[in-house]
Amino acid sequence: MCGLFAGRAAAAAPIRLLILGDSLTAGYGLARGDGFQAQLAAALLARGRDVVLIDGAVSGDTTAGGRARLDWVLAEGADVALVELGGNDGLRALPPEGTEANLAAILDVLAGRRIRVLLSGMLAPPNLGPEYGAAFNGGFQRLGRRAGVLFDPFFLEGVAGDPALNQPDGIHPNPQGVKRVVARLLPLVEQLLDGVK
């Protein structure tokens, strides 16, 4: 009987979702309740999802930074992860092969811990030229084809370049832009959660 109750208790435990990202998921320039994580948590709650978000987003972070602190962030435990990194690599014109290698290492660690992943990609700034863009964007496409990885090609899809959805810097979404991102990603996040055994 104790085992039965223990099983029920375990089943009722909230799913722990790690957000490993940069300023886009850290809520840069926004009030706490308007940021990505707050809006995602509210959207999941409205859908009846019992989820605890683990904040692993740091403004200004590169893929190398995310890779370096992954073990520390995972100390809190996670069942699934949303990885949103790479924008700062592109803004700094870092070598695309390094970006891909860092993200591959992050995915390897998460896979080794049986943590399912939603990889939300980034597109290279167009001013860096077509050759850089093809290499940068191609890395995300290759990683997105990995087994066990859900892939969203562009975190800012439908928001980037729209002044009505971005802060004055033209890079970071405003509250309405974040709302658009969350609404678009919500089905993929729910698919990620549904894969937890």
Side-chain angles (χ1 to χ4, degrees):
M1 187 65 86
C2 289
L4 175 63
F5 283 119
R8 286 181 178 168
I15 295 174
R16 298 176 64 79
L17 167 59
L18 167 64
I19 308 292
L20 185 69
D22 52 34
S23 57
L24 297 175
T25 43
Y28 175 85
L30 300 173
R32 177 178 286 276
D34 291 332
F36 175 80
Q37 294 187 55
Q39 290 205 41
L40 177 61
L44 289 170
L45 185 62
R47 301 276 293 177
R49 298 280 187 169
D50 190 10
V51 181
V52 172
L53 269 61
I54 302 167
D55 183 3
V58 174
S59 292
D61 216 358
T62 61
T63 55
R67 178 182 182 179
R69 60 190 175 80
L70 181 58
D71 285 339
W72 176 77
V73 175
L74 286 174
E76 296 185 48
D79 301 301
V80 291
L82 166 60
V83 176
E84 173 278 310
L85 288 166
N88 290 306
D89 295 51
L91 289 174
R92 300 177 192 182
L94 298 177
E97 59 271 19
T99 297
E100 184 175 357
N102 289 327
L103 288 169
I106 289 170
L107 295 179
D108 286 344
V109 169
L110 295 173
R113 300 192 184 206
R114 300 186 184 278
I115 296 171
R116 296 184 77 239
V117 178
L118 168 57
L119 174 64
S120 191
M122 189 53 55
L123 299 179
N127 63 300
L128 296 178
E131 186 174 334
Y132 183 94
F136 185 90
N137 303 340
F140 282 98
Q141 295 289 336
R142 284 187 290 274
L143 294 170
R145 290 193 290 268
R146 281 191 171 201
V149 173
L150 289 175
F151 182 50
D152 165 54
F154 185 34
F155 184 79
L156 295 174
E157 181 68 39
V159 173
D162 187 340
L165 297 175
N166 284 278
Q167 298 178 47
D169 64 11
I171 296 174
H172 297 93
N174 62 23
Q176 285 304 311
V178 173
K179 184 177 181 181
R180 180 81 60 90
V181 172
V182 168
R184 190 184 62 76
L185 283 178
L186 189 59
L188 278 173
V189 173
E190 290 197 290
Q191 187 179 341
L192 182 71
L193 300 174
D194 287 341
V196 176
K197 304 300 184 198

